[in-house]
Amino acid sequence: MASYIQARFFNRQVDDSCPANRLMISKRRTRNAHVACAQLLPMENTPNSRKLDLNKPMMGTQQVPINVPAIISGKFGRFGGKFVPETLIACLKELEAEFNWALEDPEFQNELQTALRDYIGRETPLYFAERLTNHYKNEDGHGPEIYLKREDLNHCGAHKLNNAIAQAMIAKRMGLKSVVAATGAGQHGVATAAACAKLSLECTVFMGISDMEKQNSNVLLMKLLGAEVKGVEGNFKDASSQAIREWVGNLQTTYYLTGTVVGPHPCPSMVREFQSVIGKETRRQAMEKWGGKPDVLLACVGSGSNALGIFHEFIGDEDVRLIGVEAAGFGLDSGKHAATLARGEVGVYHGAMSYLLQDEEGQIIGPHSIGVGLEYPGVSPELSFLKDTGRAEFYSATDEEAVEAYKRLSRIEGIIPSLEASHALAFLEKLCPTLPSGTKVIVNCSGRGDKDAATVLNYQQYSM
Amino acid sequence: MWQRPDSYGRFGKFGGKYVPETLMHALSELESTFNSLKDDPDFQNELAGILKDYVGRETPLYFSERLTEHYRHPNGEGPHIYLKREDLNHTGAHKINNAIGQVFLAKHLGKKRIIAETGAGQHGVATATVCARFGLQCLTYMGAQDMERQALNVFRMRLLDAEVRAVHSRTATLKDATSEAIRDWVANVETTHYILGSVAGPYPYPMMVREKEAMEKWGGKPDVLVACVGEGSDAMGLFDDFIKDKDVRLIGVEAAGLGLDSGKHAATLTKGEVGVLHGTMSYLLQDDDGQIIEPHSISAGLDYPGVGPEHSFLKEKGRAEYYSVTDEEALEAFKRLSRLEGIIPALETSHALAYLEKLSPTLANGTKVVVNCSGRGDKDVQTAIKYLKV
């Protein structure tokens, strides 16, 4: 039914010759359903998204009130949803049920809390960056106060493990033996490999071949942790598609561990829920440190997991500004960037409706960023919703600005940030002069930058 | 009961201040500043704040379920293995704890220039990190051979705005870098503070390093503490709080390199003799003419021919036990923890973990063993991959 509704939704004729619709119309569940699923997945050279025609009346949309938990509905306004073949609906429903059960289960929660504390090393500090604050003071000595939420201090060096450990625990509860994942920069791959090692699960990570070259150190880490790393032509979006194919081919034994807040419901909500520990800690720490809330939250945006991780807690606090910074690559007009919210259009990709970088024919535009973890042509449906409602603001930073920020934080605070986090830090250059003195700004320092050392070195040599 | 150290900076016959006359004043100044600040609540609060928000302390005490399972006998009995997660510190090792404290001291002494020596690069990175944080000029001496083995750490230091100076003399490793750093300090003592990364140095350094490390209290008492020993700061940090608890076994694990009889190792306490190196009397690897024997270990951080004087003292008194583990055993342990717990330990730490293979079968059921996971192994990935053929 999903495809049928989808076709009507987009005002296209239901084409009986289309294999997808023939399959769906037959209503017969076959034993080889998993094969059918695989056939329906995006293949090369076919439109793998569908453009939404905003001039035609929209049918079947429901405006979900903002206070209905998205965990239940999977919709964020018109964004989100479950645009997947019929036979995956059952798996996703099962996953959703497991997820909801886990959230309510005190034993799961205790085990997760212990892992967050003793394995990952939470809670991560809220660090007052004194020298960075001084750097942004004007001649009168006025300026905002800059704090860093130190997700770089987590085990494995980024926020990714918050989610990976929780989902690996769910996979075990479901009695599954192996996990597949896709990774861009490699951070999610490393986190998944670590979590699987700890929980004694087999692990296969798919990674774009060009990414494997750029982030070779992460590939080695994954292998050391016992994961099998499989190269895929292209980058993260292609690795994702391949990982999904692998999952669909092995539904009885395999768990697809999504690293970020995209994909069909319940994936975005699950990942966001597990990452929201960042925002919850931040609220408590801000209260302890200055007896109040932050004024501005700043985070980089690739697909959106670290941003939502820190934002989500504060969505209801209208007096807290939420700012996401995307990758402008070589510049927004160069055609080589990953600024989905700035330059994208609404469509369906990897099972969810959201903004994405697509051309006139609905073909995905290959993204570019020096921060490999930001190189995704889609974005979280929840962030798309926050953009459309004006609740969050989105800007972007170029490769060059990100590298400058990387070097700046290293030199001034002795913290080497990931190139991804460097995009958020780069935006401080434009943001700080506009802020009243004493504004409390918290930047999500989403990862450490050791993995990017070679990239920055090459970039410096190339640009000289 | 003994005072550690005594007023002459000695631990029994070990320790002391075997340095050129020009450094005596600097060391006295250091000692008196350290003693006055150690009890100053403002200093302690500021230090505690930085350790918490900047370094990320306190580090967890992690129950390693799969490692514990690995060491269980067929009848289901075995010790409980815990890891003290010093790998989670900012910069990835315990070294930063000491660097922070010493930079605070340096600032109080009005010094603007910091020098350091480094083996694996961890102490160099920690020093460069802290200097960047506090806006001080930083110069690190590193053996040329070590610079090659630990290229990532060299780049990190330079990103952090530190100068990394290669030392080519003799074996071009840690001990030569230490000698160069001491020479620099002698020449520039007015403006410069020397951040010694190890507990092996003239008094008051050994005591200062140790004090910074033992910051947290434990919930209950462990039965056995295990730590790797190169120069010994990591082990002293773990042992310090428990030296007076006779029911807590203290075990240090040195590097046996290619084997204790091969002549290519760094097992100072097992095979060394007493002498003076780098300003302190302690065990060291020396030949009959008192020349330093070149140590070897696959891990740069353990590749040191001396050891902290307090370790020498603890060995002599029988308060601590010292064993050793080969390169091969360390690599196996590196792989084992990565595969079983998803934690990639430093090759230095892997020596302590390797000793569990011999230790665990001898322990009573339920014995609580705490291993100091002194650093993360990202820096050792290239080395490990080469040997393990992963």
Side-chain angles (χ1 to χ4, degrees):
Chain A
M1 284 304 281
S3 300
Y4 185 83
I5 292 169
Q6 199 172 314
R8 290 287 287 159
F9 187 72
F10 292 111
N11 268 320
R12 289 172 178 214
Q13 287 292 73
V14 177
D15 180 359
D16 286 353
S17 67
C18 165
N21 293 328
R22 264 211 310 276
L23 186 76
M24 168 274 299
I25 286 166
S26 78
K27 291 195 180 166
R28 234 178 340 127
R29 283 183 185 275
T30 65
R31 263 196 227 127
N32 296 326
H34 63 280
V35 172
C37 288
Q39 288 170 346
L40 291 168
L41 281 167
M43 301 211 288
E44 300 196 36
N45 299 322
T46 57
N48 45 18
S49 71
R50 291 190 174 85
K51 266 181 94 159
L52 179 66
D53 186 345
L54 292 174
N55 292 324
K56 297 279 165 60
M58 293 200 273
M59 292 165 5
T61 48
Q62 277 177 300
Q63 204 57 34
V64 179
I66 197 161
N67 56 1
V68 170
I71 289 172
I72 297 170
S73 70
K75 298 283 284 181
F76 307 92
R78 62 188 169 130
F79 300 106
K82 267 189 215 181
F83 293 88
V84 294
E86 187 75 28
T87 32
L88 274 187
I89 296 279
C91 305
L92 292 174
K93 273 193 156 21
E94 193 193 340
L95 186 58
E96 190 178 347
E98 282 291 341
F99 170 57
N100 286 322
W101 178 32
L103 284 190
E104 299 297 315
D105 178 0
E107 208 180 296
F108 177 85
Q109 287 300 336
N110 276 340
E111 207 188 313
L112 181 58
Q113 289 311 312
T114 304
L116 290 174
R117 188 192 64 217
D118 290 350
Y119 186 60
I120 299 184
R122 302 205 71 90
E123 46 179 66
T124 54
L126 182 63
Y127 166 69
F128 174 53
E130 192 180 348
R131 290 194 77 208
L132 199 61
T133 297
N134 289 341
H135 173 78
Y136 289 115
K137 277 195 176 114
N138 59 21
E139 297 87 32
D140 308 321
H142 294 144
E145 288 175 20
I146 319 284
Y147 292 79
L148 303 178
K149 182 60 174 153
R150 301 292 302 282
E151 294 298 297
D152 59 298
L153 290 176
N154 285 323
H155 181 45
C156 299
H159 67 295
K160 295 289 187 186
L161 192 53
N162 301 330
N163 164 61
I165 192 74
Q167 287 206 50
M169 283 167 59
I170 288 183
K172 257 201 115 113
R173 275 161 79 91
M174 292 169 78
L176 298 167
K177 297 272 176 288
S178 71
V179 164
V180 293
T183 191
Q187 287 307 121
H188 174 59
V190 171
T192 304
C196 287
K198 177 178 175 8
L199 294 171
S200 179
L201 294 164
E202 275 167 37
C203 179
T204 308
V205 179
F206 291 89
M207 196 170 179
I209 287 176
S210 53
D211 290 341
M212 285 173 76
E213 279 157 21
K214 282 188 254 184
Q215 307 272 239
N216 181 250
S217 54
N218 274 345
V219 175
L220 295 179
L221 289 176
M222 283 184 260
K223 288 182 171 163
L224 274 170
L225 292 163
E228 194 187 343
V229 183
K230 289 189 174 164
V232 174
E233 275 301 322
N235 57 22
F236 177 54
K237 61 173 176 53
D238 309 286
S240 288
S241 301
Q242 192 56 35
I244 293 171
R245 272 186 207 107
E246 181 84 12
W247 173 46
V248 156
N250 295 286
L251 289 170
Q252 299 304 319
T253 54
T254 303
Y255 183 92
Y256 172 57
L257 210 159
T258 174
T260 189
V261 284
V262 296
H265 180 65
C267 298
S269 297
M270 277 178 70
V271 178
R272 185 255 286 141
E273 184 60 26
F274 295 134
Q275 290 294 358
S276 66
V277 63
I278 304 175
K280 290 181 180 121
E281 282 177 8
T282 302
R283 185 188 284 283
R284 202 171 51 242
Q285 288 164 327
M287 189 54 72
E288 264 168 36
K289 282 201 180 316
W290 62 79
K293 288 185 285 194
D295 297 308
V296 184
L297 295 177
L298 189 55
C300 65
V301 174
S303 348
S305 62
N306 94 85
L308 274 173
I310 199 167
F311 288 174
H312 189 256
E313 174 68 14
F314 294 95
I315 287 179
D317 294 275
E318 294 287 333
D319 50 346
V320 178
R321 254 176 99 182
L322 309 177
I323 300 182
V325 185
E326 295 187 296
F330 294 151
L332 289 181
D333 298 322
S334 69
K336 294 244 165 248
H337 62 81
T340 315
L341 291 162
R343 288 295 165 108
E345 295 172 23
V346 181
V348 173
Y349 186 53
H350 283 156
M353 180 168 298
S354 193
Y355 278 93
L356 62 136
L357 294 173
Q358 56 183 336
D359 65 18
E360 294 295 313
E361 283 147 24
Q363 294 291 332
I364 296 300
I365 297 174
H368 161 78
S369 170
I370 197 171
V372 176
L374 303 184
E375 248 180 357
Y376 185 65
V379 76
S380 150
E382 191 168 359
L383 286 181
S384 296
F385 179 62
L386 294 178
K387 171 186 156 81
D388 267 16
T389 54
R391 178 61 191 94
E393 309 157 51
F394 296 93
Y395 305 99
S396 60
T398 61
D399 286 355
E400 199 180 324
E401 290 167 331
V403 169
E404 277 315 303
Y406 178 97
K407 293 195 293 191
R408 188 180 309 121
L409 195 73
S410 303
R411 221 173 44 239
I412 296 185
E413 290 284 353
I415 297 170
I416 304 177
S418 64
L419 276 172
E420 292 81 12
S422 301
H423 284 72
L425 291 159
F427 190 67
L428 288 171
E429 296 283 292
K430 297 197 175 93
L431 178 68
C432 291
T434 71
L435 297 175
S437 192
T439 308
K440 305 242 188 303
V441 180
I442 298 181
V443 184
N444 203 15
C445 190
S446 51
R448 61 177 187 248
D450 308 58
K451 64 180 179 68
D452 299 312
T455 304
V456 172
L457 185 60
N458 287 339
Y459 184 88
Q460 276 174 185
Q461 287 170 345
Y462 179 73
S463 58
M464 275 196 237
Chain B
M1 284 303 192
W2 53 78
Q3 196 188 341
R4 305 156 43 221
D6 65 19
S7 49
Y8 292 103
R10 291 189 185 277
F11 304 89
K13 68 176 183 212
F14 302 104
K17 282 188 211 180
Y18 295 86
V19 295
E21 196 63 37
T22 35
L23 288 184
M24 290 303 280
H25 171 73
L27 290 175
S28 299
E29 196 185 34
L30 199 55
E31 185 188 345
S32 55
T33 311
F34 173 70
N35 283 327
S36 67
L37 287 177
K38 153 163 99 95
D39 297 318
D40 173 351
D42 287 336
F43 176 80
Q44 288 302 335
N45 279 338
E46 207 186 333
L47 183 58
I50 288 279
L51 287 173
K52 177 164 173 268
D53 287 353
Y54 187 65
V55 176
R57 300 202 73 84
E58 50 177 69
T59 54
L61 184 62
Y62 168 70
F63 175 56
S64 315
E65 193 175 339
R66 289 196 76 200
L67 205 60
T68 296
E69 201 183 301
H70 174 80
Y71 289 116
R72 219 168 259 149
H73 307 301
N75 62 7
E77 294 187 353
H80 297 164
I81 317 284
Y82 291 79
L83 301 179
K84 180 63 173 153
R85 301 292 302 281
E86 294 295 298
D87 58 299
L88 292 176
N89 284 320
H90 180 46
T91 68
H94 69 295
K95 295 286 190 186
I96 195 164
N97 302 325
N98 166 53
I100 293 265
Q102 290 211 37
V103 166
F104 263 54
L105 268 183
K107 280 188 75 123
H108 272 268
L109 291 166
K111 310 281 180 176
K112 295 269 184 300
R113 184 175 174 263
I114 305 287
I115 60 174
E117 86 297 339
T118 191
Q122 285 308 119
H123 174 58
V125 169
T127 305
T129 296
V130 179
C131 287
R133 168 66 186 81
F134 290 102
L136 300 171
Q137 192 196 345
C138 179
L139 164 60
T140 307
Y141 288 96
M142 194 170 182
Q145 199 197 325
D146 286 339
M147 283 177 74
E148 246 181 70
R149 301 194 254 199
Q150 307 277 234
L152 174 64
N153 276 343
V154 174
F155 183 68
R156 280 161 92 193
M157 283 185 264
R158 288 179 173 153
L159 260 175
L160 296 160
D161 227 14
E163 186 193 337
V164 184
R165 206 173 281 176
V167 174
H168 295 277
S169 48
R170 277 170 265 164
T171 60
T173 57
L174 177 59
K175 70 162 179 57
D176 311 287
T178 308
S179 305
E180 272 308 310
I182 291 176
R183 268 181 218 116
D184 183 319
W185 195 32
V186 170
N188 299 292
V189 71
E190 303 295 316
T191 59
T192 300
H193 178 67
Y194 172 34
I195 297 198
L196 195 70
S198 78
V199 282
Y203 178 78
Y205 278 104
M207 179 183 72
M208 281 165 42
V209 173
R210 191 238 297 147
E211 296 264 342
K212 299 297 168 303
E213 305 246 343
M215 298 292 288
E216 282 104 50
K217 298 293 170 205
W218 304 71
K221 275 197 289 189
D223 298 309
V224 187
L225 297 177
V226 186
C228 62
V229 175
E231 31 73 17
S233 59
D234 144 39
M236 267 338 290
L238 184 72
F239 292 173
D240 184 65
D241 241 17
F242 296 95
I243 292 197
K244 298 193 175 105
D245 292 283
K246 296 292 177 146
D247 49 347
V248 178
R249 253 178 99 183
L250 309 177
I251 297 182
V253 186
E254 295 188 297
L258 301 177
L260 287 179
D261 298 320
S262 69
K264 295 243 166 251
H265 61 80
T268 316
L269 289 162
T270 310
K271 288 273 182 170
E273 293 171 19
V274 179
V276 174
L277 177 67
H278 294 149
T280 190
M281 178 170 290
S282 191
Y283 275 89
L284 55 134
L285 294 173
Q286 58 183 338
D287 64 21
D288 293 328
D289 297 321
Q291 294 298 317
I292 299 298
I293 295 173
E294 287 174 34
H296 162 81
S297 169
I298 194 173
S299 63
L302 300 186
D303 205 347
Y304 185 68
V307 74
E310 193 163 5
H311 280 295
S312 298
F313 181 58
L314 293 175
K315 173 184 157 84
E316 193 137 293
K317 282 278 170 212
R319 177 63 192 93
E321 309 156 49
Y322 296 91
Y323 305 101
S324 63
V325 137
T326 61
D327 286 353
E328 201 181 316
E329 289 168 324
L331 281 163
E332 275 313 305
F334 178 96
K335 189 167 152 194
R336 190 178 312 121
L337 193 71
S338 304
R339 295 283 161 94
L340 289 181
E341 291 285 356
I343 299 170
I344 302 179
L347 277 174
E348 291 78 12
T349 308
S350 302
H351 284 71
L353 291 161
Y355 190 66
L356 289 174
E357 294 283 293
K358 298 200 177 93
L359 177 68
S360 299
T362 70
L363 296 175
N365 187 34
T367 307
K368 292 205 177 348
V369 181
V370 174
V371 182
N372 203 22
C373 193
S374 52
R376 61 178 188 248
D378 304 49
K379 63 183 179 66
D380 298 312
V381 161
Q382 301 290 348
T383 307
I385 291 276
K386 209 166 56 175
Y387 285 90
L388 294 174
K389 300 184 175 43
V390 164

